[in-house]
Amino acid sequence: MAKETLSINETRDMMLAVADKIIESEPILSEADRALGDGDHGVGMERGMNAVKEALEGEDFACVGKVFMGVGMAMMSSMGGASGAVFGMLFRGGGKAIKGSETLGAAEVASFFKAGTDEVMTKGGAKAGDKTMVDALLPCAEGAAAAQGNVSEALAGAAAGAEAGKEASKAMIATMGRAKTLGEKSIGLPDAGAVSVSIIAATMRDFAA
Ligand code: ADP
Ligand code: MG
């Protein structure tokens, strides 16, 4: 059943479902980074999501923004590597934008992805087409904003955008991060961070469906 909004506890449980899904996806994420980077993305994400579980399980949060900020803090402090910093920016920046809200509705989903993506791009320096997770985040934020309606529709829009962006990253030549040295050899495979973003958004969609 489609939902109008998610409560604070439902938002926390959604992020716990994301953590389990990412941990389960470790082999896929490791493989994606092995092809274009140094192969540590899956293990880093697994470590980050175990820290997320520790930070979120059984905790009560004052607002939905603080749930996402807690995810960002846990990832930033546990993962190391480029993606720990970048996911920290996404979840902390996005969470801060919806601080104070006691429900997660379509407007909060759109604000979260927009502000989080802005933070990643401003602080991390990657732009569209560099073949990073930004190429999944930009269409994800656009998909959330275009969908509006209820939280289920907004998350469905976000997930569709992230999936399309991950697929589009296959055709891109890496100009940021470790894959940069591969040049045209990076064509044909998706960016590992974009694969993570697509799994995160799809799990959020499924939780609220
Ligand atoms: P590392 O590159 O330190 O080994 P990971 O393997 O965990 O870190 O993560 C690699 C992913 O991080 C890339 O696939 C890319 O999506 C993302 N990434 C790296 N640098 C940036 C950046 N400046 N902005 C956005 N995403 C980035
Ligand atoms: Mg790596």
Side-chain angles (χ1 to χ4, degrees):
M1 255 260 290
K3 291 192 168 85
E4 197 54 40
T5 59
L6 297 184
S7 68
I8 299 171
N9 283 350
E10 284 172 328
T11 303
R12 176 200 64 202
D13 292 347
M14 173 176 72
M15 295 317 296
L16 287 169
V18 165
D20 283 333
K21 187 71 190 174
I22 287 286
I23 290 167
E24 184 190 313
S25 307
E26 179 275 321
I28 298 168
L29 300 173
S30 292
E31 185 52 40
D33 193 38
R34 210 170 289 132
L36 293 182
D38 57 356
D40 65 350
H41 185 61
V43 173
M45 289 297 286
E46 184 179 35
R47 189 163 57 241
M49 289 300 170
N50 276 316
V52 166
K53 287 179 74 162
E54 224 166 272
L56 264 54
E57 266 167 2
E59 281 297 316
D60 286 324
F61 291 87
C63 64
V64 291
K66 286 197 173 170
V67 174
F68 292 119
M69 290 166 78
V71 169
M73 305 277 259
M75 293 182 84
M76 186 172 273
S77 60
S78 65
M79 286 171 64
S83 61
V86 174
F87 275 114
M89 294 168 200
L90 172 69
F91 283 103
R92 290 174 70 190
K96 211 168 160 193
I98 54 171
K99 211 169 153 189
S101 179
E102 287 178 19
T103 55
L104 187 75
E108 286 78 21
V109 169
S111 298
F112 167 77
F113 281 115
K114 167 83 174 76
T117 304
D118 283 351
E119 182 90 353
V120 167
M121 293 180 74
T122 310
K123 292 204 175 145
K127 33 182 211 324
D130 283 337
K131 199 176 178 111
T132 70
M133 67 174 89
V134 164
D135 294 303
L137 286 172
L138 278 171
C140 173
E142 279 162 22
Q148 289 295 334
N150 59 39
V151 70
S152 304
E153 286 161 356
L155 287 171
E163 175 66 23
K166 183 258 292 176
E167 285 298 309
S169 80
K170 289 181 181 173
M172 295 172 186
I173 298 174
T175 48
M176 279 288 286
R178 295 181 201 278
K180 172 166 83 174
T181 54
L182 291 173
E184 291 191 1
K185 289 195 198 119
S186 65
I187 295 177
L189 294 163
D191 170 66
V195 176
S196 278
V197 169
S198 70
I199 294 171
I200 290 169
T203 309
M204 292 170 80
R205 172 201 61 204
D206 293 348
F207 184 92

Short mmCIF file of all heavy atoms in Angstrom, two decimals, residues 8 47 55 88-89 110 134 152 180 187 207-208:
data_model
loop_
_atom_site.label_atom_id
_atom_site.label_comp_id
_atom_site.label_asym_id
_atom_site.label_seq_id
_atom_site.Cartn_x
_atom_site.Cartn_y
_atom_site.Cartn_z
N ILE A 8 9.17 8.97 11.91
CA ILE A 8 10.60 8.96 12.25
C ILE A 8 11.10 7.51 12.40
O ILE A 8 12.13 7.15 11.84
CB ILE A 8 10.86 9.76 13.55
CG1 ILE A 8 10.44 11.22 13.37
CG2 ILE A 8 12.34 9.67 13.95
CD1 ILE A 8 10.47 12.04 14.67
N ARG A 47 31.41 -2.09 5.92
CA ARG A 47 31.86 -1.56 7.21
C ARG A 47 30.99 -0.37 7.62
O ARG A 47 30.55 -0.25 8.77
CB ARG A 47 33.33 -1.16 7.12
CG ARG A 47 33.96 -0.80 8.45
CD ARG A 47 35.48 -0.81 8.38
NE ARG A 47 35.98 0.10 7.36
CZ ARG A 47 36.71 -0.25 6.31
NH1 ARG A 47 37.06 -1.51 6.12
NH2 ARG A 47 37.11 0.64 5.41
N ALA A 55 24.48 2.50 15.03
CA ALA A 55 24.03 3.85 15.40
C ALA A 55 22.50 3.97 15.42
O ALA A 55 21.96 4.81 16.15
CB ALA A 55 24.61 4.87 14.42
N GLY A 88 29.10 10.62 3.59
CA GLY A 88 28.91 11.47 4.77
C GLY A 88 28.31 12.82 4.37
O GLY A 88 27.38 13.32 5.00
N MET A 89 28.83 13.39 3.29
CA MET A 89 28.31 14.68 2.79
C MET A 89 26.85 14.53 2.35
O MET A 89 26.01 15.38 2.63
CB MET A 89 29.12 15.16 1.58
CG MET A 89 30.55 15.53 1.86
SD MET A 89 31.41 15.69 0.26
CE MET A 89 33.11 15.53 0.81
N ALA A 110 12.40 15.02 -1.66
CA ALA A 110 12.99 15.87 -2.71
C ALA A 110 14.06 16.79 -2.13
O ALA A 110 15.16 16.93 -2.70
CB ALA A 110 11.89 16.68 -3.39
N VAL A 134 27.85 11.02 -8.40
CA VAL A 134 27.07 12.23 -8.75
C VAL A 134 26.18 11.95 -9.97
O VAL A 134 25.07 12.47 -10.06
CB VAL A 134 28.03 13.42 -9.02
CG1 VAL A 134 27.32 14.55 -9.76
CG2 VAL A 134 28.62 13.92 -7.70
N SER A 152 5.81 7.40 -1.27
CA SER A 152 6.05 6.23 -2.11
C SER A 152 6.39 6.65 -3.54
O SER A 152 7.33 6.13 -4.15
CB SER A 152 4.81 5.33 -2.14
OG SER A 152 4.43 4.97 -0.83
N LYS A 180 40.09 7.43 -13.19
CA LYS A 180 40.55 8.46 -14.13
C LYS A 180 41.72 7.98 -14.99
O LYS A 180 41.79 8.25 -16.19
CB LYS A 180 40.93 9.67 -13.28
CG LYS A 180 41.59 10.80 -13.97
CD LYS A 180 41.58 12.02 -13.10
CE LYS A 180 42.74 12.00 -12.11
NZ LYS A 180 42.83 13.26 -11.34
N ILE A 187 35.05 2.89 -20.20
CA ILE A 187 33.75 2.83 -20.89
C ILE A 187 33.18 1.41 -20.83
O ILE A 187 33.92 0.44 -20.99
CB ILE A 187 33.91 3.27 -22.38
CG1 ILE A 187 34.31 4.75 -22.45
CG2 ILE A 187 32.60 3.05 -23.15
CD1 ILE A 187 34.55 5.26 -23.86
N PHE A 207 10.88 -0.22 0.54
CA PHE A 207 10.40 -0.13 1.92
C PHE A 207 9.09 0.65 1.99
O PHE A 207 8.19 0.30 2.76
CB PHE A 207 11.46 0.56 2.80
CG PHE A 207 11.07 0.59 4.26
CD1 PHE A 207 11.47 -0.41 5.13
CD2 PHE A 207 10.30 1.63 4.77
CE1 PHE A 207 11.11 -0.40 6.46
CE2 PHE A 207 9.92 1.66 6.11
CZ PHE A 207 10.33 0.65 6.96
N ALA A 208 8.99 1.70 1.19
CA ALA A 208 7.82 2.59 1.27
C ALA A 208 6.71 2.21 0.29
O ALA A 208 5.68 2.87 0.24
CB ALA A 208 8.25 4.04 1.03
#
